[in-house]
Amino acid sequence: MKIFGIDLGTTNSCISVCENGEVNVLENEEGLKTTPSVVSVRNKEWLIGDVAKRQLEANKNTVLSIKRLIGSDAKVELEGKEYRPEFISAKILKYLTSFANKKLKENIIDVIITVPAHFNDRQRKATKLAGEIAGLRVLRLVNEPTAAALSYGIKPDNKGQNILVFDLGGGTFDISILEVDNNDFEVIATGGDNSLGGDDWDNVIVEILKKHCLEELKIEKIDRSMQVRLKVAAEKAKKELSSSLSTKINVPFIAIVNNEPVHIDYDLERSTFEKLSFELMKKVEQILIEVLKESKKTTESIDKVVLAGGSTRMVMVKDFLEKFFGREKISFSLNVDEAISIGAAILGDSIYNEKSSSEIMLMDVTPISLGTSLAEDKYDILIPKNTSIPISITKEYTTAKDFMDEIEIDIRQGEDQIASNNKLIAHFALKKIQKAESGTPKISCTFKIDVDGILHASATDLSTNASKTIVVENYLDIDENEKKSLIKDFSKNK
Ligand code: AMP
């Protein structure tokens, strides 16, 4: 059985397969091993990857960084039609598996998709849904830093090592600390920020350029197409500053001022870029300190720091890590763009291929605490963050008022003591419970988090013994009919 390992990234995606013990990172139609996560529609034709990215400036029906919206209620409008983020992500998944299957002359539909360790329940379910819409069987989700650790760690000298994976991509930041012993991988703690990534460093340069446009070039207003051009130029400059001390940013014909065309011709020093990125690096440092604290490991006890994600190429990130841990601990052995998808392919092979030579034991953790709302908006944590998964926990609840015949249960993810400040994952009502004085009914709630980090919850009224079990299924406010119509829609527009 062959399984694709897919890194569905904010900026770029990558697909790999394990064949006869070797991992093969598959090239797209342009001969590249990473594919921009960009989707565009032009006269009803869907364009994905490099071809979509190339028309970013010219075609406003182009979507970047859809991963930032996955699991939210946001919709994306393309040529006058609204799409769910999962639908757009499905387009990327379909494209990746199509060129990979073409190359391999196979028809593989089984996949493992990686997700940021810090993704919440809704984002995880939405990623699975994207796979389903694309006609794939999502066998498992695996956390991105865990996948990077698998890709780093399958080697004979891995005896009792503490590995810290530092994964800074285009839109997300994750850190995981693992204890690795031969093929046993146990995640001890994880932390991160779902909205911190290379895009934010691009925006530092975009702001510099905007200021230059408004104050020095006397451009009145920055419109959408100018904004897109500034962003493209900023990312290019950022990458150049990873290998040079300064760069020249040229954006010709950016606007017309006093009937004359104006151009951006701006010199940017790496030191200026680094100074203005101070706040972002501070955030990175805070998260790192927090995860170390939660793992109960010291800086000295970390044996190796493994880098993943394109943004770890920035000099300020490498300098920071070398200062924090010591130069000798930083491993540059992984290809930061491919490691995550390779790790997913290795895991897929180990679990599902009977003939696989590697038997991986993997224990991951849940990244965010899970709990319920109590009276007075108090938050009751049932499964604290960094608990090993899978896990199941059962707790008894009762009524707060006399003769209630219904109990409502909120399930939330987050760390705040005030329930409503945490993300609502599901809400369900258990109806027709025993009518009695407050405190008499006994409602037993079971919360399970599976290996994908996804929640399954049920509640039973123990007092009536009517086993009224309600399973929370209507995640993402999507019912079976809508799902079917999404799948139908998807297969219609090729
Ligand atoms: P990923 O999500 O891992 O594909 O990472 C993509 C992010 O890495 C984007 O924000 C890129 O701009 C950034 N990136 C890629 N190459 C470089 C580089 N040479 N220097 C700085 N950032 C880079």
Side-chain angles (χ1 to χ4, degrees):
M1 183 174 179
K2 286 185 194 165
I3 290 127
F4 284 133
I6 301 180
D7 170 8
L8 182 62
T10 310
T11 323
N12 295 300
S13 295
C14 183
I15 181 164
S16 305
V17 70
C18 209
E19 290 181 300
N20 310 320
E22 294 282 322
V23 182
N24 184 2
V25 184
L26 295 145
E27 290 174 0
N28 64 20
E29 288 163 321
E30 312 235 349
L32 301 168
K33 289 185 172 177
T34 56
T35 298
S37 306
V38 184
V39 175
S40 179
V41 182
R42 189 182 54 194
N43 301 328
K44 295 201 174 140
E45 185 191 6
W46 289 82
L47 306 167
I48 293 120
D50 298 282
V51 57
K53 191 173 179 183
R54 276 198 290 274
Q55 50 171 290
L56 179 63
E57 287 174 30
N59 183 355
K60 68 175 175 23
N61 295 298
T62 305
V63 201
L64 285 175
S65 307
I66 191 65
K67 186 167 168 177
R68 284 191 184 248
L69 297 182
I70 204 153
S72 75
D73 297 326
K75 297 272 187 331
V76 176
E77 195 183 313
L78 294 170
E79 290 194 337
K81 198 170 169 212
E82 285 197 335
Y83 296 94
R84 296 180 73 106
E86 299 82 45
F87 193 92
I88 310 280
S89 297
K91 287 283 173 192
I92 301 170
L93 289 169
K94 182 75 190 174
Y95 176 65
L96 294 167
T97 48
S98 300
F99 73 67
N101 272 321
K102 208 153 127 192
K103 195 134 260 178
L104 296 169
K105 298 192 177 64
E106 298 263 7
N107 195 15
I108 301 169
I109 58 161
D110 293 311
V111 299
I112 290 190
I113 304 177
T114 63
V115 288
H118 225 67
F119 252 18
N120 66 30
D121 187 71
R122 285 183 67 151
Q123 291 166 309
R124 286 169 192 268
K125 282 169 177 162
T127 304
K128 269 198 149 175
L129 176 62
E132 278 181 61
I133 296 172
L136 303 171
R137 259 200 308 252
V138 185
L139 300 181
R140 191 142 165 199
L141 300 177
V142 60
N143 290 333
E144 286 163 9
T146 309
L150 291 174
S151 145
Y152 170 81
I154 309 280
K155 37 179 121 141
D157 59 346
N158 253 339
K159 298 244 183 306
Q161 286 213 32
N162 291 321
I163 293 180
L164 182 140
V165 182
F166 184 97
D167 176 12
L168 187 59
T172 57
F173 174 46
D174 276 332
I175 292 179
S176 287
I177 297 177
L178 295 96
E179 287 177 358
V180 181
D181 198 16
N182 292 319
N183 283 1
D184 292 356
F185 292 77
E186 186 176 351
V187 182
I188 305 299
T190 191
D193 186 336
N194 276 346
S195 50
L196 181 64
D199 285 352
D200 299 287
W201 274 265
D202 296 347
N203 288 339
V204 168
I205 303 180
V206 168
E207 287 309 314
I208 300 174
L209 296 178
K210 267 190 184 168
K211 198 159 175 260
H212 174 65
C213 286
L214 297 170
E215 291 176 8
E216 281 151 60
L217 300 181
K218 308 286 179 213
I219 296 171
E220 262 182 27
K221 200 174 138 255
I222 313 283
D223 63 20
R224 184 214 168 255
S225 82
M226 281 158 78
Q227 178 83 27
V228 171
R229 294 186 70 195
L230 295 185
K231 165 93 173 128
V232 171
E235 190 191 4
K236 185 165 169 269
K238 175 188 75 176
K239 288 182 178 172
E240 278 164 12
L241 291 176
S242 295
S243 50
S244 319
L245 287 170
S246 67
T247 182
K248 213 173 211 3
I249 304 174
N250 283 307
V251 189
F253 301 101
I254 185 79
I256 305 275
V257 177
N258 295 334
N259 295 327
E260 292 286 332
V262 287
H263 321 283
I264 295 177
D265 189 0
Y266 191 91
D267 290 314
L268 181 64
E269 305 271 320
R270 186 195 285 162
S271 55
T272 312
F273 175 45
E274 294 190 343
K275 226 185 277 158
L276 294 170
S277 306
F278 175 79
E279 290 293 327
L280 296 174
M281 289 307 298
K282 201 81 217 141
K283 270 195 196 171
V284 165
E285 184 178 11
Q286 275 164 0
I287 292 168
L288 175 59
I289 292 171
E290 183 86 357
V291 181
L292 274 167
K293 203 169 117 200
E294 279 167 9
S295 73
K296 300 194 175 63
K297 304 264 183 223
T298 58
T299 316
E300 294 72 40
S301 67
I302 299 294
D303 298 299
K304 267 283 170 258
V305 176
V306 174
L307 306 185
S311 300
T312 55
R313 291 201 180 93
M314 284 189 288
V315 177
M316 69 183 98
V317 172
K318 288 186 203 164
D319 283 351
F320 162 74
L321 289 173
E322 286 184 359
K323 232 186 197 159
F324 200 97
F325 290 100
R327 176 180 285 252
E328 67 293 344
K329 287 194 179 169
I330 316 298
S331 166
F332 295 103
S333 63
L334 288 187
N335 178 323
V336 295
D337 298 320
E338 298 166 13
I340 291 170
S341 120
I342 290 176
I346 292 173
L347 183 66
D349 187 60
S350 163
I351 302 178
Y352 301 101
N353 177 8
E354 284 174 8
K355 292 186 192 143
S356 170
S357 52
S358 65
E359 262 185 46
I360 295 171
M361 273 289 296
L362 176 62
M363 282 276 268
D364 217 318
V365 294
T366 176
I368 314 169
S369 300
L370 185 116
T372 56
S373 307
L374 299 181
E376 290 161 14
D377 209 11
K378 282 197 194 115
Y379 185 51
D380 183 28
I381 291 185
L382 299 165
I383 303 177
K385 73 170 175 176
N386 290 325
T387 302
S388 294
I389 50 171
I391 174 118
S392 168
I393 204 153
T394 301
K395 200 159 175 182
E396 257 180 42
Y397 290 92
T398 186
T399 46
K401 290 184 196 140
D402 290 342
F403 307 112
M404 289 169 77
D405 63 352
E406 179 175 324
I407 184 168
E408 293 197 11
I409 296 168
D410 266 0
I411 304 172
R412 295 182 180 266
Q413 268 188 325
E415 314 304 329
D416 205 297
Q417 288 181 350
I418 300 170
S420 54
N421 286 347
N422 298 304
K423 183 112 191 139
L424 183 67
I425 297 298
H427 172 96
F428 61 90
L430 189 68
K431 295 185 197 273
K432 292 194 188 137
I433 58 170
Q434 179 200 18
K435 272 194 183 179
E437 283 174 9
S438 73
T440 311
K442 288 194 179 109
I443 312 295
S444 159
C445 293
T446 299
F447 303 88
K448 280 186 204 156
I449 298 183
D450 66 15
V451 285
D452 296 333
I454 286 178
L455 167 76
H456 305 265
S458 60
T460 312
D461 180 0
L462 295 178
S463 345
T464 57
N465 232 358
S467 69
K468 214 175 261 305
T469 300
I470 295 177
V471 183
V472 182
E473 284 291 10
N474 60 339
Y475 55 81
L476 293 169
D477 308 320
I478 183 168
D479 60 23
E480 275 308 306
N481 284 341
E482 192 181 347
K483 199 155 121 186
K484 272 190 200 137
S485 101
L486 274 172
I487 294 171
K488 210 167 124 204
D489 247 20
F490 187 88
S491 55
K492 251 195 327 213
N493 54 52
K494 292 269 155 106

